[in-house]
Amino acid sequence: MEIDRIRAAEAAQAVTTASAGPVCPSCGTENTAGTKFCRQCGTKLVAESPAVCPQCGAAAEPGVKFCPECGTALSQPEQAPRPDEQ
């Protein structure tokens, strides 16, 4: 029946979405959740940890510039200068 086919497709989509993991920055392959190295090219997959607000302690998504709870500016980590810039 049509409704059974639709339900099966929705269930398959839910499983696919739930198992989605990090995308490799080198080759673009989508890996399964919890994977530490790309299954296609072997590049290390770095998981970004959430930022913590120094003012209120709230967690914020990686890359967010301001705390979603209190509005305090979240400092970005210092990056080492590139060898060609020294």
Side-chain angles (χ1 to χ4, degrees):
M1 299 203 165
E2 183 67 19
I3 192 74
D4 292 331
R5 188 176 63 78
I6 292 171
R7 285 184 182 150
E10 288 173 349
Q13 179 63 35
V15 168
T16 301
T17 303
S19 65
V23 175
C24 178
S26 294
C27 71
T29 299
E30 187 173 308
N31 293 274
T32 55
T35 303
K36 294 180 182 178
F37 294 89
C38 177
R39 62 190 171 103
Q40 186 67 31
C41 71
T43 298
K44 184 173 183 174
L45 302 173
V46 179
E48 294 185 56
S49 59
V52 177
C53 176
Q55 183 69 31
C56 71
E61 293 180 25
V64 172
K65 294 181 181 179
F66 296 92
C67 175
E69 293 295 321
C70 70
T72 299
L74 302 175
S75 62
Q76 299 299 317
E78 295 289 325
Q79 292 186 3
R82 294 186 347 207
D84 61 337
E85 293 178 345
Q86 295 179 2

